[in-house]
Amino acid sequence: MMRLPKFDYRVPREIAEAVKIIAGSGPEGQFVAGGTDLYPNMKRRQQTPRTVISVMRVPELNQVTGDGKSGIRIGASVTLTDIVEHPLINRDYPVIAHAARSISTPILRNMGTIGGNLLLDTRCNYYDQNYEWRKGVNFCLKKDGDICWVAPGSSKCWAVQSSDLVPVMVAIGAKFRLASTLGERMIDAAGFYNDDGIDYLTKRPDELLVDIHLPPLNGWRASYQKLRRRGAFDFPVLGVAAWIQVDETNNGSGRADTIKNARIVLGGIGPSPIDVKEAGEALIGQPLDDDRIQAAAEAAYVKARPLDNTDFVMNWRKQMTRQYTLRALQELTSMD
Ligand SMILES: Cc1cc2nc3c(=O)[nH]c(=O)nc-3n(C[C@H](O)[C@H](O)[C@H](O)COP(=O)(O)OP(=O)(O)OC[C@H]3O[C@@H](n4cnc5c(N)ncnc54)[C@H](O)[C@@H]3O)c2cc1C
Ligand code: SF4
């Protein structure tokens, strides 16, 4: 049986207290929310904080406020179950509820939070193993070793960004609020992730994710398609988030809506989410018809370069990028 290492456990009740504790803990401190990612990682000795600081009892991190007209603010400690069941999120941001519903299992969603999901550790077949297994292969670059078993000539780690909500947040243009003893800052979801399996966040370790700001609904809609082995539960090995904003000046003219802006964001195939600019550009200035959809899907396929470090054969995952982009865009044609 894998056991947790010993650690101090702190439960602050205010943001100021939480950031003060982590600042005082130095590199040995780490926040925890539901623990569904951190605790298994600690058992496998992949992450080994001496001070673990819970963010679940800070009231500001547990609130959902606003609506589709003004934009919604979701506290980082709101559980995935609360997001799946939230009436306002389901009404105004169904893509968020849909992506959250596809994460893990009902029991894990009761524990797991939106913040923890957006900060999930990157994943790899050579890393998500117990300590003895990893020791047997002399570890790897990401933890305790000096070689990448996926790309042995590479000095970079290619572990995969495997959150279902991350590509959606990037596609819809969400912003994240961070706090530390140095103050607060807002950052775009698009600028939050590094293309590096080890240093995968632009967030400093002493920064607390306070909340997630979803933009107002001004003529946009979005969809998410997830590829995984088991429908019941599994991490995504490809996620496609599609976002379009229509030109509403056409409304009532009898013409099909022209697309003003578009983004196609791929998750689950690299260390960071991939915004395929060529796919978005293929959609702009035209109505969402079959030709445009095919062109965008082709652009996403060309850009996708999955490696052999998660489930399924990498070439097949690349092929599926075309298919899943088609599906995501076709879903958008059936929405209001
Ligand atoms: C069997 C299984 C299946 C899973 N399937 C999926 C899946 O299909 N899709 C998917 O996306 N995920 C999946 N997960 C991963 C995980 O359950 C979810 O991503 C969950 O949302 C993580 O949230 P958490 O609150 O438990 O995170 P935690 O484990 O508490 O934290 C995760 C990381 O975030 C940091 N953190 C948490 N909150 C804050 C904060 N407010 N400020 C700063 N740092 C913070 C922690 O330090 C840690 O590094 C699965 C996990 C398991 C065990
Ligand atoms: S991509 Fe390479 S360095 Fe990164 S976790 Fe996998 S084997 Fe390790």
Side-chain angles (χ1 to χ4, degrees), residues 124 126-127 140-142 147-150 157-159 309:
C124 171
Y126 295 88
Y127 173 73
C140 77
L141 275 182
K142 186 159 159 69
I147 188 168
C148 171
W149 293 111
V150 175
C157 166
W158 297 89
N309 58 350

Side-chain angles (χ1 to χ4, degrees), residues 130 158 175 274:
N130 65 35
W158 297 89
K175 292 179 189 297
I274 302 166

